[in-house]
Amino acid sequence: MKPSAPAHSTLNIQHSTLLLLDTGHCLVSARHVMRGVARESMACRALAALVGHPLHGWTLFDTGYAPRMLGATRRLPWRLYRLATPLRIRPEQAAVRQLAQVGVAPADIRRVIISHFHADHVAGLRDFPGVPVIASAEALASITGLRGLAALRRAHIPALMPDDMAARAVALPAFAGPPLPHLGPTHDLFGDGSLLLVELPGHARGQIGALLQTDAGPVLLAADGAWTSRAIREQRPPARITHFFVDDARAVGATLANLGAFAAARPEVRIVPCHCPEVVI
């Protein structure tokens, strides 16, 4: 699989290929994910995205689950993570295994963008040795020195981090690019409008999303700015029990409202929440 040939719009925006990867799921109560819905179990997927740029090569947005997640949550206190969100992970679902099926090797990945450092977004990082890890400066600072129960409370498992993380980490500058409607300033990663990073505060410190110009149209990778597409459509915030591990509960609600307003203002954009069971792979 190779990045597609350049395609140009009137704004000379490069278009990218996009492949969504389902790396496994955990089981959660739908009522915890969205207030006011039926009390039932829900498969909360962990999506990663492979982005192929015609000039800048392959980028991963998040890495999702990986089998090492099971080992990392075998003992206390990390086992509490697995008890709260029972894991359903198969080895063949790891991003590195799925990329091999389409002819992309770990060495082909030029950069990994991490939306935020919760375990279900970074468990595959060790499968891509030496690759630069791009994240907001705020997100990187939030996990520095974080250990034990303090880390667990932020859904962060330090054992999942590469040993050379400090050397590979690339902190983004403050976002000062043209704003997206209702979402605020952007950072143009490649300088051609094809991948605009945007802040999605609340769920985790320094969380970011990405607006991609793809061959199939614009796509907003919304990370955990909302957990499901239904939550955006019906404006259903998560239950208060989730306040235990989020960074800013008030900002969670504001970001959900802003995503709803963005969807109304830009209906041509496909919004992909990382955990949404509706997303078609």
Side-chain angles (χ1 to χ4, degrees), residues 182-183 200 220 222 225-226 232 235 254-264 271:
H182 307 284
L183 296 180
L200 297 172
L220 176 65
I232 298 174
Q235 286 296 291
T255 291
L256 178 62
N258 290 339
L259 285 169
F262 175 81
I271 300 178

Side-chain angles (χ1 to χ4, degrees), residues 28-32 34-42 230 239:
V28 298
S29 168
R31 279 199 170 180
H32 291 168
M34 297 173 287
R35 294 182 196 176
V37 303
R39 191 185 303 276
E40 59 187 11
S41 180
M42 180 184 125
R230 182 182 177 186

Side-chain angles (χ1 to χ4, degrees), residues 117 125 131-133 140 143-144 161-171:
F117 285 94
L125 263 182
V131 178
V133 178
L140 287 165
I143 62 166
T144 301
M161 293 292 97
D163 296 336
D164 60 348
M165 180 65 187
R168 291 166 56 183
V170 178

Side-chain angles (χ1 to χ4, degrees), residues 3-14:
S4 62
H8 300 275
S9 73
T10 56
L11 296 177
N12 199 31
I13 293 175
Q14 301 282 358

